[in-house]
Amino acid sequence: MKELLHHISLLLKSGQPREIISEQVLRAVLKHFYSETGTIHRLDDEKQLLHLVAQVGLPPQMLEVVKAIPVGKGIAGQVVAENRPVTICNLQTDASGVAKPGAKQTGIGGALCVAIRAGEKIVGTLGIGTVREHEYSADEINSLQEIANVIAPQLTAVVSAETPAAQKKINLRRPDIMEQVQAQVLSHYRSEIVENIRASGGVLSSGDLTVKLAKEFGFCYGVERAIDLAYAAKKYFAEVAPHTPIYLLGEIIHNPEVNDQISNLGIQIISPKPTDEELAQLQSGDAVIIPAFGTEVGTRKKIEAKGCVIVDTTCGDVMSVWKRVRQYSKESVTSIIHGKAKHEETKATTSQARAYGSGHYLVVFNLAETDYVCDYILTGGDKHEFLEKFKGAHSDGFDPDLHLRAVGVANQTTMLRGETEEVQRRFKAVMEKKFGAGEIEKHFRFFDTICGATQDRQDALQKMLKQPLNLLIVVGGYNSSNTSHLAEMGEQVLPTFFIKNAAKMQSDKLIVHYDQHKKAEVETLDWLPSGTITVGITAGASCPNNLIEDTIRRLFGLRGISVQELLKN
């Protein structure tokens, strides 16, 4: 699945016409799912019709049927009408082989269709089918939905917002715009030196200093996409409406260097949850960028009501969590969210729990809080103490005596996988103990919503920590959740220094680094040992390669070695 998503991301960045990209994506998807037919439809919300954008493998007689599908009709129309994935087996077909409700069942074949969304809005469908006797599994449904989340912003090629007059649509991914954006982004964040070291096995040595890079580090696809869209918004409006204000809700990602670059473009930073004063300055037609973490449902609605053009860069992995939490809510299941209650992503996720159903939420940060909740479920306790302990981390009206009888675990996508899995295990165990294993489905749900890129970086670091290292440098923003977890992993094994840039290595005798326990920068003396040493370097998904290069240059510079000369040799 990782290879498929990587391949799709390359296709989406290819700059080819959208129709060609759509067909190539479909072919890659069909190969992965061992299926023969596939479709992508675009939703015309006003006419309530699904229009065919691309198809692979459909017989001529079926093309006429699927060119325009009314919402509510057929498998694709059913997906939109019911806002859920639809899968069927034993296809019902007429004499021509076309699938039709009410026709006879052939006993063979299967089909699966999921929604393509831009933010909360369904903008189309992605469907696959096979003539094999096959019923698509829950894992296959989740995998196809994950693909739909990734391709949605690219293939719809519009960023839209409701305005008092009509629906505004802008095309940020025009080939000419993206060509300029790619050049600008590469000039700001790329590092040829890091790419060369990576290509050489991730190791660079000279004299008594060896630097090892983790196999996976730095920008992930979701971060790259968010940055691309922010730069594209600036290019687009500079061309068509130069005086249009562009606002960003908080930080695009958790990296100060990147956010400074965004600000330098002339994009104005406002609060993640805008104040009344900030909302008052927004005018119809102004552009508002939603960051990669997403935003709260209430905030989005207020911005839409102002008639602003929304540039939604929300990560597809985050939207997958939202979908799960919304489902819990509709089933009156309380969402137990493993995460940081004050993190922008978690705030956006918790807002989903209350906006679309009758469910509640509770945020647990670690295993100690998990055990506290589990003990309360099993034996009860002081309700006032409970609510005070989780103040700011539960929904309004949450009652631990009423709302912990059915729970579903989700998570902030950048948490440690092992810890999230343990949270799931402990909640399942306590529910089985309280209600019995036979009743577990009524009282416990879970779904794997850890970000793949986060896990890749954690796995790569874990592997590197098994190698001989003298110390570890972790580079990234101090408020970056996925980066902070990398630093935590390192601290358990060897001396680890969490820095936001190379300037923090002031000399071989002094380094200024972030202490997560004190939540402040601290100074450490004599941090770089003399003699033969090996230094490991890793970075979170929000850290650009140019900052990694600066770190490598600085380390060798402290030993009087020029990296440029070293690479030449």
Side-chain angles (χ1 to χ4, degrees):
M1 187 64 181
K2 286 181 185 177
E3 291 182 5
L4 173 62
L5 292 175
H6 178 66
H7 178 60
I8 289 173
S9 73
L10 294 178
L11 289 175
L12 297 174
K13 292 180 179 181
S14 66
Q16 299 181 85
R18 190 174 57 178
E19 292 75 12
I20 294 176
I21 294 176
S22 300
E23 184 176 328
Q24 290 177 335
V25 167
L26 274 178
R27 292 189 185 281
V29 169
L30 294 178
K31 182 177 179 181
H32 177 80
F33 287 94
Y34 299 102
S35 298
E36 299 85 34
T37 62
T39 59
I40 295 176
H41 281 87
R42 174 182 58 82
L43 175 62
D44 184 331
D45 215 12
E46 185 177 340
K47 295 181 180 179
Q48 288 290 281
L49 282 175
L50 285 160
H51 297 286
L52 187 65
V53 172
Q55 67 85 22
V56 171
L58 292 180
Q61 65 269 28
M62 189 174 283
L63 282 177
E64 288 302 316
V65 177
V66 302
K67 271 186 179 178
I69 303 173
V71 171
K73 302 293 184 181
I75 184 171
Q78 191 179 347
V79 167
V80 177
E82 299 180 12
N83 192 22
R84 67 177 181 87
V86 174
T87 179
I88 57 175
C89 61
N90 296 337
L91 289 178
Q92 296 172 294
T93 67
D94 63 13
S96 69
V98 176
K100 289 185 177 179
K104 68 174 184 178
Q105 289 190 327
T106 63
I108 59 171
L112 166 63
C113 190
V114 299
I116 299 175
R117 289 182 174 85
E120 295 303 310
K121 184 179 177 60
I122 294 179
V123 294
T125 59
L126 171 62
I128 58 176
T130 178
V131 296
R132 295 178 292 119
E133 186 173 354
H134 180 67
E135 182 174 1
Y136 289 97
S137 67
D139 285 344
E140 288 175 310
I141 294 171
N142 293 332
S143 294
L144 192 65
Q145 187 63 69
E146 186 177 359
I147 293 166
N149 291 341
V150 170
I151 69 174
Q154 315 287 346
L155 295 183
T156 55
V158 296
V159 181
S160 58
E162 295 289 356
T163 71
Q167 184 91 350
K168 290 186 178 180
K169 294 184 178 181
I170 61 173
N171 184 359
L172 293 184
R173 302 201 70 88
R174 282 179 7 215
D176 59 321
I177 290 178
M178 292 314 297
E179 185 177 351
Q180 296 175 58
V181 165
Q182 289 302 312
Q184 191 174 15
V185 168
L186 287 175
S187 71
H188 285 174
Y189 307 117
R190 183 190 175 194
S191 167
E192 190 174 346
I193 285 177
V194 170
E195 291 169 8
N196 288 339
I197 296 173
R198 254 182 160 166
S200 302
V203 179
L204 187 63
S205 296
S206 180
D208 54 11
L209 175 62
T210 296
V211 167
K212 286 187 176 182
L213 301 181
K215 188 175 180 181
E216 298 288 343
F217 61 86
F219 278 177
C220 65
Y221 171 69
V223 165
E224 288 179 347
R225 175 180 163 272
I227 293 171
D228 284 354
L229 287 175
Y231 277 65
K234 182 62 181 177
K235 291 286 185 187
Y236 174 88
F237 284 103
E239 176 185 312
V240 303
H243 301 296
T244 299
I246 305 176
Y247 299 95
L248 168 64
L249 298 179
E251 300 178 311
I252 190 75
I253 58 172
H254 282 154
N255 187 282
E257 312 285 337
V258 174
N259 288 306
D260 285 347
Q261 288 281 15
I262 295 291
S263 183
N264 290 339
L265 295 176
I267 294 173
Q268 302 176 55
I269 312 296
I270 59 176
S271 305
K273 189 173 184 177
T275 63
D276 290 341
E277 184 179 346
E278 288 172 326
L279 285 170
Q281 76 185 47
L282 298 180
Q283 302 295 320
S284 178
D286 290 353
V288 178
I289 301 172
I290 295 176
F293 331 105
T295 191
E296 295 178 46
V297 173
T299 297
R300 185 182 183 110
K301 287 181 177 178
K302 288 177 182 178
I303 293 169
E304 287 177 338
K306 298 287 290 188
C308 296
V309 178
I310 292 180
V311 179
D312 191 351
T313 77
T314 305
C315 174
D317 286 313
V318 174
M319 288 193 284
S320 292
V321 179
W322 291 356
K323 176 190 171 188
R324 188 58 45 182
V325 168
R326 286 196 300 268
Q327 187 61 41
Y328 292 159
S329 184
K330 290 173 183 176
E331 298 170 356
S332 298
V333 172
T334 294
S335 293
I336 303 292
I337 299 167
H338 177 219
K340 301 174 181 178
K342 295 183 179 180
H343 192 283
E344 295 96 325
E345 180 191 323
T346 302
K347 287 181 177 180
T349 298
T350 57
S351 74
Q352 299 282 329
R354 297 298 288 156
Y356 298 96
S358 57
H360 284 269
Y361 70 82
L362 176 69
V363 182
V364 295
F365 173 57
N366 53 28
L367 295 179
E369 291 188 357
T370 298
D371 287 340
Y372 182 94
V373 178
C374 288
D375 288 343
Y376 195 97
I377 290 172
L378 200 58
T379 61
D382 186 326
K383 184 195 295 188
H384 176 75
E385 178 189 275
F386 186 105
L387 294 174
E388 191 62 29
K389 180 177 179 66
F390 290 97
K391 187 176 182 180
H394 62 74
S395 50
D396 291 340
F398 174 80
D399 185 336
D401 294 334
L402 298 176
H403 300 131
L404 290 175
R405 295 183 61 80
V407 300
V409 178
N411 60 281
Q412 184 182 319
T413 57
T414 51
M415 300 300 282
L416 288 166
R417 174 185 285 275
E419 190 171 58
T420 292
E421 290 175 342
E422 185 61 21
V423 169
Q424 293 171 351
R425 190 194 68 76
R426 294 186 188 189
F427 273 105
K428 182 179 181 181
V430 78
M431 287 305 197
E432 286 183 338
K433 191 170 184 179
K434 186 174 180 69
F435 298 106
E439 298 291 306
I440 192 65
E441 289 187 6
K442 296 179 183 178
H443 299 280
F444 176 75
R445 319 278 170 80
F446 80 95
F447 185 73
D448 183 4
T449 50
I450 286 287
C451 159
T454 295
Q455 188 58 40
D456 289 344
R457 282 146 186 76
Q458 291 174 7
D459 290 346
L461 176 57
Q462 194 169 42
K463 186 175 181 180
M464 187 168 74
L465 290 174
K466 294 177 181 178
Q467 303 170 15
L469 297 174
N470 295 91
L471 60 94
L472 176 70
I473 302 289
V474 179
V475 190
Y478 297 155
N479 59 345
S480 167
S481 177
N482 73 88
T483 310
S484 66
H485 289 309
L486 295 176
E488 288 173 14
M489 291 173 64
E491 288 168 0
Q492 295 173 11
V493 179
L494 78 173
T496 297
F497 302 101
F498 184 2
I499 60 174
K500 66 179 181 181
N501 56 43
K504 296 299 177 180
M505 295 181 283
Q506 297 188 3
S507 70
D508 59 352
K509 301 298 182 185
L510 175 64
I511 187 170
V512 178
H513 58 103
Y514 189 69
D515 186 315
Q516 296 192 76
H517 309 288
K518 296 179 179 178
K519 299 189 184 306
E521 285 187 330
V522 297
E523 295 182 350
T524 296
L525 299 174
D526 299 322
W527 66 280
L528 190 63
S530 57
T532 301
I533 61 169
T534 300
V535 179
I537 297 177
T538 190
S542 54
C543 184
N545 277 0
N546 64 303
L547 296 186
I548 308 299
E549 176 182 329
D550 292 344
T551 302
I552 296 169
R553 285 182 179 276
R554 182 61 177 158
L555 279 168
F556 280 100
L558 292 173
R559 291 292 175 94
I561 302 167
S562 165
V563 171
Q564 211 71 39
E565 291 300 317
L566 180 57
L567 289 173
K568 285 181 181 178
N569 298 328

